[in-house]
Amino acid sequence: MKCNVRGVFKNIRYRILEINDEEYILDMGNSIWKIIFPFLHWILPNPVYKINNEIVDKLAVPERE
């Protein structure tokens, strides 16, 4: 399984995941428990939402030449 991770333009909270030619948006969240206990970042689940190509084009960081 190949996975490609990209950032969202001007937003550090979300990531765009491309897995098997399908796009998802990952919410990294700002839970107070994850700030107090950093190891919870790997234990607690992070919500992931499936999105379509039109939304990916609007959210993705533009490439520079």
Side-chain angles (χ1 to χ4, degrees):
M1 171 177 26
K2 284 190 169 183
C3 179
N4 186 18
V5 180
R6 295 183 288 172
V8 174
F9 187 61
K10 294 187 179 180
N11 195 327
I12 61 172
R13 181 175 174 179
Y14 298 100
R15 302 285 184 270
I16 298 173
L17 305 174
E18 183 178 340
I19 303 171
N20 297 333
D21 297 329
E22 295 180 351
E23 284 84 19
Y24 302 91
I25 190 158
L26 171 66
D27 184 3
M28 300 295 285
N30 287 332
S31 172
I32 188 71
W33 296 111
K34 291 180 183 179
I35 294 170
I36 295 172
F37 303 105
F39 65 88
L40 289 178
H41 181 73
W42 293 281
I43 296 172
L44 296 176
N46 291 320
V48 177
Y49 306 99
K50 187 173 182 179
I51 55 177
N52 59 23
N53 291 336
E54 297 171 2
I55 296 173
V56 172
D57 294 338
K58 292 179 183 178
L59 294 177
V61 175
E63 296 181 16
R64 295 183 184 179
E65 295 182 10

